[in-house]
Structures are given as structure tokens and as C-alpha cells.
Amino acid sequence: MSSTAADVVLLLTVRGETLAVAESLTGGMVASAITAVPGASKAFRGSVTAYATELKREILGVDGSLLAARGAVDPQVAAQMAAGARKILGADWGIATTGVAGPDAQDGQPVGTVFVAVDGPLGTLEGSACGGKVEALRLNGDRAEIRMESVRSVLALLLRELAGEQTGNERAQDTERNGGF
């Protein structure tokens, strides 16, 4: 169990909010990290592992013309995956991973190209018109290392977004009430 996953579950639980996950290159590893946390069922709604490109369109609602033009390894695809998971699984927050873990390049993108995304309640994320944020990663290492770093990165992105929504005083009060965080 990762401490970041535990922090995400704790903060979501304190806030009374829920999470949905859409994964591609991580193949269920994000959901596994979250569900390894005791009490995760209070916040975790579920996940979709859309490894095949057409499933991103058919299940998560990613724009087919976007997929045709840019492929599955794209920041907008990641954003739409997070939003799609959030919508179809009925969660307050959605996160997503898409990228190339190797051994070969995909969609013209080199191994180690990864996009992680978070989609939250509308208007809550500063500087975002649609409630979402995407980070581009250029990762080194073998397939396993790229996948593990993708999991860590998407959970860290979500944690930053969740924590960033509270003022310092609100967060301190939550921390005191919940035994430290």
C-alpha cells in the first residue's frame, strides 16, 4: 500500500467524496493501489481498464476523431478518459493514465511518454474551465518502472488537486480532527 494512495483515500473520505479510475498502460495498478488501503470502499467507486484504443471510445466516451487523429497517447485523451470514468461510474473525481510503457513506441510516441489526468467537480480546480488537469511525463526505466511511476504520478496529481482546494486553515483543521495527515 502506498502512502499517497492512503492519503488520497483519507482525504476523499474526510470530504465525503468519491473516485473513479480509467487506466490504460497501468492495467489496473492504480485501482489496486487504492483498494489496498483499508476503508477504500468509502471513497472508491470503481475503475475501467481500457487497454484497447476502441474501448476508450466505446466505454469511456473519448472522441473517436481525436483518437483517429492523435492516437491514444495524448493529453486530451487522458483528460477525456478521466472525465469519462467520473461520469460513467458516478464519482466526484476521475483520474486516468495513458502512455507507452514499452517495449515499443506507440502512436508515434516514444517509450516513457505518459499522460496522467484528473477531472474534478466543475469550477473547483483553479485555472481550469472544465474541472480537469493533465500532466505530461517523460519517464525512464523499464516497463515495470514506467508503469509504477505512472501510478505514483497520477495519485500524486490527485492528492495535490484535493489538498489544493482547501485553504491552509481548513486543511489543518481536517488534519487535527483525523489524527494527522
Side-chain angles (χ1 to χ4, degrees), residues 41-106:
S41 61
K42 294 175 186 164
F44 186 60
R45 295 279 301 157
S47 65
V48 173
T49 300
Y51 211 64
T53 299
E54 68 269 12
L55 295 179
K56 292 170 181 65
R57 178 181 49 80
E58 294 169 5
I59 296 173
L60 295 170
V62 175
D63 184 302
S65 60
L66 173 65
L67 288 167
R70 298 192 192 163
V73 183
D74 181 81
Q76 286 183 283
V77 170
Q80 289 184 19
M81 287 173 65
R86 181 175 170 234
K87 180 181 177 182
I88 66 171
L89 297 173
D92 298 301
W93 294 88
I95 57 176
T97 62
T98 188
V100 186
D104 301 315
Q106 178 185 338

Side-chain angles (χ1 to χ4, degrees), residues 10 14 26 34 37 42 45 50 63 67 69 76 85 88 92-94 111 116 122 124-125 133 166:
L10 175 62
V14 165
T26 50
I34 293 164
V37 177
K42 294 175 186 164
R45 295 279 301 157
D63 184 302
L67 288 167
Q76 286 183 283
I88 66 171
D92 298 301
W93 294 88
V111 172
V116 296
L122 293 178
T124 61
L125 300 176
K133 185 171 185 178
Q166 297 178 317

